[in-house]
Each structure stands twice: as structure tokens, then as C-alpha cells.
Amino acid sequence: MSVNHFRRAFLAVLCGAVLVVGPQTPASAIAGGTTTSSLHGQVQIWNNGGADFRCTGSLIHVHYVLTAAHCLHSSRLVVKAGDKRLGSGQRIIVDGTAAAPKGYDMAVLHLASNVTQSNLVVPYSRDTALLKTGVTVAIRGWGQTEENGPPASTLRVCSLQVKRSIGSELELEGLDGVPLNGDSGAAVWQNNRVQAVFTHSDDALGGLSVPTGFLAGWIKSVSGVDGID
């Protein structure tokens, strides 16, 4: 899909879209957890032309990143891909954004050039069935490792479990760690695919996420990228 096509698709859904501000403090990175040896499709999202780390996202195509909508409240977004170290990796300008309709805290970013490491691309789930209570998931991010601290210097991972569903959101509970500032937009990873987008933390308990299955049709409409069952 061309940039112009992406922008036309964005305008087509804009009248029904709600850009979600999210919580006062965006979801963060991993407090607890461990360093991880695998990116699992995660990329860094920076604002101010790459000066300030903002959020985490999932590379669903060499030109498209899935993240949280409140991450769009930034200027001159840049993605850094292909490296676990914060601030390292291929630097790519974001030249188009689309926020999900109906108040969902989800967004798709279009990259001005392709990510050269195509093996970083990960699938997202289009299954509308919610993950069951007690299912274990993983979240990876670069955010704070403690409240009011700096971002993590390298990608970290923690395990959480599904506590319950609240409408179209999943409430997650930390097992060996919880996400903090910088993890907004990170993949909720389970069964070898992105099952949801992490939206914000809930104190020291875990947080909330939006399942991709609810918005699979919208994701495809703005990116051309189909999910998997």
C-alpha cells in the first residue's frame, strides 16, 4: 500500500476515529522481569525526531508498526528497529499515522522507508475470541525499570496472566514483573503472535490491553496487512 493510499484510508476512518489520550502517565516498561535475547518484532518509538524515547511497537510489515493511539500525541515520530539496545538500530521516519475508531487505544504507523531486516516482522491475531482467564502472556519493552527512573538500556521481558476481560479490553496481572513508562503499544505476545496491544499500566498489578482481533479489519483497511487465526 502506498503512502498516499495509507493517508486516504486514514482520512476515510478519521470521522469515526477517536484519538485516545490514555492515562495521565503512559504505560511504562518492565519493572522486574529479565533481559531478553529476542526482539519478537518489537521496535522503539521516539519523538522529537529521535531525541526522546516514547513507546514500544510491533513491526507487522516492513512499512507498518502497530502501537497504542496515545503514543501519537508526540511530534516528529521516529522508529528504531533491529536492535535490543535503547537508541540503537535502523532509524526510520514515521510519515503517516492512523488511530483506531470507536475509542480503541490502538494505532498504525507508516514508515517512510522499509525495515531492512524483514525477519523482524511478526503476525497479529485476527481471532475475536478473548484469551481465557489464567492464560500466560509476555510483554517486551524498553521503559522504566522503576518508577521515575530512566528507560531500560536494553529490551526486557516480563510474564503476565489474563485476569479478566472488561468489555473489549483484557486486564493483565503481573507474574514476574509489570510494564511501566515506555511500554505503551508493546505486543501482548502469546501463541507465536501479537494477541493485543498493551495500553496502560495499573499501578503495580499489571495493566490493560486491546485485543487485535477486535480491530483486525481496521488494521487491514489502513495497512493492507492481514492477521492470522
Side-chain angles (χ1 to χ4, degrees), residues 21-109:
V21 176
Q24 293 299 311
T25 301
S28 311
I30 309 302
T34 60
T35 57
T36 176
S37 60
S38 174
L39 283 165
H40 275 71
Q42 300 306 275
V43 298
Q44 306 166 32
I45 301 172
W46 293 67
N47 61 10
N48 296 323
D52 303 304
F53 176 64
R54 172 67 174 166
C55 287
T56 300
S58 299
L59 190 70
I60 59 170
H61 182 276
V62 292
H63 275 290
Y64 292 98
V65 170
L66 187 65
T67 190
H70 70 260
C71 296
L72 303 185
H73 289 277
S74 302
S75 61
R76 297 183 295 133
L77 291 175
V78 166
V79 161
K80 296 181 182 181
D83 201 304
K84 297 187 295 295
R85 297 168 297 173
L86 185 71
S88 299
Q90 182 185 0
R91 180 185 182 277
I92 307 173
I93 293 171
V94 174
D95 65 356
T97 63
K102 301 177 183 177
Y104 292 104
D105 194 356
M106 188 180 291
V108 172
L109 313 181

Side-chain angles (χ1 to χ4, degrees), residues 105-163:
D105 194 356
M106 188 180 291
V108 172
L109 313 181
H110 182 272
L111 306 180
S113 57
N114 66 295
V115 172
T116 56
Q117 294 173 262
S118 60
N119 62 303
L120 298 177
V121 174
V122 292
Y124 69 90
S125 175
R126 62 186 178 197
D127 189 352
T128 57
L130 290 172
L131 294 177
K132 294 181 179 180
T133 299
V135 168
T136 299
V137 298
I139 292 178
R140 293 169 175 82
W142 286 271
Q144 298 166 336
T145 56
E146 60 183 19
E147 274 201 63
N148 302 317
S153 60
T154 189
L155 187 66
R156 297 181 66 82
V157 60
C158 71
S159 297
L160 304 94
Q161 67 179 4
V162 177
K163 185 176 181 182

Side-chain angles (χ1 to χ4, degrees), residues 9-20 98-104 215 218:
F10 174 46
L11 291 172
V13 300
L14 185 59
C15 61
V18 176
L19 193 62
V20 180
K102 301 177 183 177
Y104 292 104
L215 290 165
W218 172 80

